[in-house]
Amino acid sequence: MQENNVLHNGIRLPDEWPPRLPDPDRVKEMDVPYLSEKPVVIPINVGRQLFVDNFLIKETNLTPVYHTPDFYAGNPVLSADKQWELTPEGYAYAGPFSDGIWYDEKEKKFKMWYLAGAGAISTQKHSLCTCYAESDDGMNWVKRDLDIVPGTNIVDTCNRDASTVWFDKTEPDPAKRYKLFLIEYQPDYIEWQYVLKYSSDGIHWSETVAQSGAVSDRSTAFYNPFTRKWVLSMRHHNKVSWRSRSYLEHSDPEEAVSLAHRLREGVRDKHIVFWFTPDDKEKRHEKYPEVDPGIYNFDAIAYESIMLGFYSQWQGPENYIAKSLMIPKRNEIMLGYSRDGFHFSRPDHQAFMGVNETAEAWNYGNMQSINGTPLIVNDSLYIYSTGRSLNGIWWDAGTSTGLARLRRDGFVSMRTDKEGFLTTEKISFDGRYLFVNADARGGLAVEVLDEKGNPVKGYSKEDCLVFNGNETKALITWKGSDDLSSLAGQNVHLRFYLNDGDLYAFWISPWQTGESRGYTGGGGPGLNENGLDFPE
């Protein structure tokens, strides 16, 4: 966060933060104040600028198109093939329940933490533990024999529900590089509680350093680098929906965990606020249209200049029906976008990663989001999820992990099949080189306008060297100049002229190599090890 509660993008946070929203009396879409009251000038020095909402757009005749990733043909990439990945009853679990999949640029490894059966270490009914796997390519995973439970890849033996493994690449203390926010089962009046542990390697974890009061299951955590806060995303029950969310933030993860407990409806808490319910546009299950959808979980991560929000959206049926039919309930993963980390817009309510209700599918039902994703692999994003199969053994088991791939920045594009334009709001920058992520089938030109909307001499449409091609990082130049350094610090508009194509993102980099200074999600091969898109 910058001075006076002004964020990197010019958004000014209100004095009361986080906002204290009233208890809901109906399901509704979240209001996003910064989309209706935009900053007068939008600084664009942090990250690629994505067209996931109208924040950057002053006027356009291009049409937004919402894209979904392609599932990898070799899915699942990880499934239960070890005896210890079964519960004492024999039910198979091998997939993150949020947990995490990250890329370690120092060790050049993809790393996964996941929920597994704990039959090898417990006789308690439905016991679950945490395991670890790693990969060189993100598709082929190895379960190493580790020393926590010798001969297995178990790294934490606590009986658990959800967890978050956060790979904190900027943590100055090596012993706290990995942070584990575990929803641990306590066989007493507490039932579930957050416990926080640290690790230097993600394998050997400390004793508990902080624990919460009683919380509900399927609660998780994330870090918002734009406000420098740790956020607990907690399942919240209210009269509108038993599958809503409450919110707690703190600069210290130990304090955040220590302050957490169930938020009671109608009771004002000093630290925890109601966040959101399902909204009135949620997708419904076509076989159970009478079931009101819910938000089963919500994970988030910084990507470039925004926060991505992954909704595990529940459509039913209720557990007792799913159990009687021996089918997994349907959860699908939806996507939302935020520029302050609290208010998320959802311009599209269709499944971003959906179920496949065919008999042999790994993701027949109960898909769940995973922390750390997306990972950046060359020009693609690797996005993982779990799913549950129609396994014929138990309705709530058969969990495995799948991979889907999307173009880098490819969540939303602005499209035209003829000549079109897009003009940005007033922006400022301190970089030099203009880059775009675009599929310009008929050509793309960029014009710089002054504050009054007049073309800047030397940077008109006619001066621009037209880009033709399909690239995720293409440099834009003009006849008299290769860069925009003479305009740095001024307030300008950019106008994109696109002919038959898709525009995904733009940014102005200090470097001719095009690094954006944005956040790189869970990381990726060849990226900076600090989690930001800077030259190595």
Side-chain angles (χ1 to χ4, degrees), residues 289-355:
E290 74 286 356
V291 174
D292 291 329
I295 303 302
Y296 197 80
N297 179 56
F298 182 75
D299 292 321
I301 193 170
Y303 174 80
E304 292 293 347
S305 58
I306 64 172
M307 297 290 292
L308 295 172
F310 292 88
Y311 299 74
S312 295
Q313 188 248 18
W314 175 84
Q315 299 167 25
E318 291 288 358
N319 287 357
Y320 73 93
I321 296 176
K323 183 176 180 180
S324 67
L325 297 175
M326 286 294 286
I327 60 171
K329 54 195 173 188
R330 183 191 288 181
N331 290 306
E332 296 186 301
I333 298 170
M334 313 297 183
L335 209 55
Y337 311 95
S338 178
R339 298 180 186 271
D340 64 11
F342 184 89
H343 300 96
F344 281 79
S345 65
R346 296 177 64 188
D348 179 47
H349 282 69
Q350 294 306 302
F352 180 69
M353 301 175 77
V355 299

Side-chain angles (χ1 to χ4, degrees), residues 59-290:
E59 56 180 344
T60 187
N61 61 2
L62 307 183
T63 302
V65 178
Y66 305 98
H67 301 278
T68 57
D70 296 321
F71 284 109
Y72 172 53
N75 280 336
V77 296
L78 184 134
S79 57
D81 59 3
K82 304 294 185 183
Q83 183 62 32
W84 61 85
E85 293 171 323
L86 306 180
T87 67
E89 302 91 341
Y91 306 145
Y93 289 85
F97 207 35
S98 285
D99 290 87
I101 299 179
W102 299 81
Y103 188 80
D104 187 331
E105 288 83 7
K106 290 182 178 180
E107 298 182 17
K108 296 180 171 56
K109 290 285 186 183
F110 293 82
K111 297 182 174 183
M112 179 194 300
W113 293 262
Y114 65 96
L115 177 75
I121 58 174
S122 175
T123 59
Q124 183 179 338
K125 184 178 180 182
H126 207 62
S127 292
L128 300 164
C129 63
T130 306
C131 287
Y132 168 81
E134 60 188 31
S135 172
D136 292 327
D137 60 9
M139 294 174 281
N140 299 284
W141 293 86
V142 175
K143 303 171 183 178
R144 292 167 43 201
D145 287 348
L146 303 173
D147 59 358
I148 310 303
V149 178
T152 77
N153 64 332
I154 295 172
V155 295
D156 190 88
T157 59
C158 291
N159 192 14
R160 49 158 289 197
D161 185 71
S163 84
T164 297
V165 176
W166 202 266
F167 184 11
D168 190 355
K169 298 183 180 183
T170 60
E171 169 60 61
D173 184 347
K176 299 179 180 180
R177 193 172 179 226
Y178 296 92
K179 296 174 172 63
L180 173 62
F181 299 81
L182 192 71
I183 301 299
E184 183 179 359
Y185 179 70
Q186 298 292 336
D188 55 22
Y189 74 97
I190 289 180
E191 295 182 356
W192 301 104
Q193 67 177 161
Y194 279 102
V195 298
L196 175 63
K197 302 179 181 182
Y198 296 133
S199 176
S200 62
D201 61 4
I203 295 172
H204 302 89
W205 293 94
S206 69
E207 296 297 320
T208 296
V209 297
Q211 63 188 41
S212 72
V215 299
S216 295
D217 62 346
R218 205 60 185 102
S219 296
T220 55
F222 64 88
Y223 183 66
N224 179 350
F226 303 120
T227 58
R228 300 175 187 169
K229 300 290 187 182
W230 291 94
V231 176
L232 301 188
S233 167
M234 296 185 286
R235 183 173 179 176
H236 176 58
H237 306 280
N238 56 46
K239 62 184 178 183
V240 172
S241 174
W242 276 63
R243 296 177 176 90
S244 298
R245 307 302 286 182
S246 61
Y247 176 103
L248 184 156
E249 69 170 30
H250 203 284
S251 56
D252 183 342
E254 296 178 29
E255 287 293 321
V257 167
S258 298
L259 294 168
H261 59 85
R262 289 194 187 100
L263 180 64
R264 294 171 57 194
E265 187 175 8
V267 176
R268 185 180 178 91
D269 187 274
K270 184 177 180 180
H271 303 284
I272 306 170
V273 299
F274 160 72
W275 199 3
F276 59 85
T277 67
D279 70 34
D280 53 346
K281 298 179 181 177
E282 299 289 355
K283 181 180 176 182
R284 288 179 177 263
H285 198 312
E286 67 281 355
K287 296 178 182 177
Y288 303 94
E290 74 286 356

Side-chain angles (χ1 to χ4, degrees), residues 15-16 79 128 143 345 365-367 382 392 495:
D15 292 337
E16 185 177 62
S79 57
L128 300 164
K143 303 171 183 178
S345 65
N366 208 340
M367 298 187 70
Y382 280 25
R495 178 170 288 164

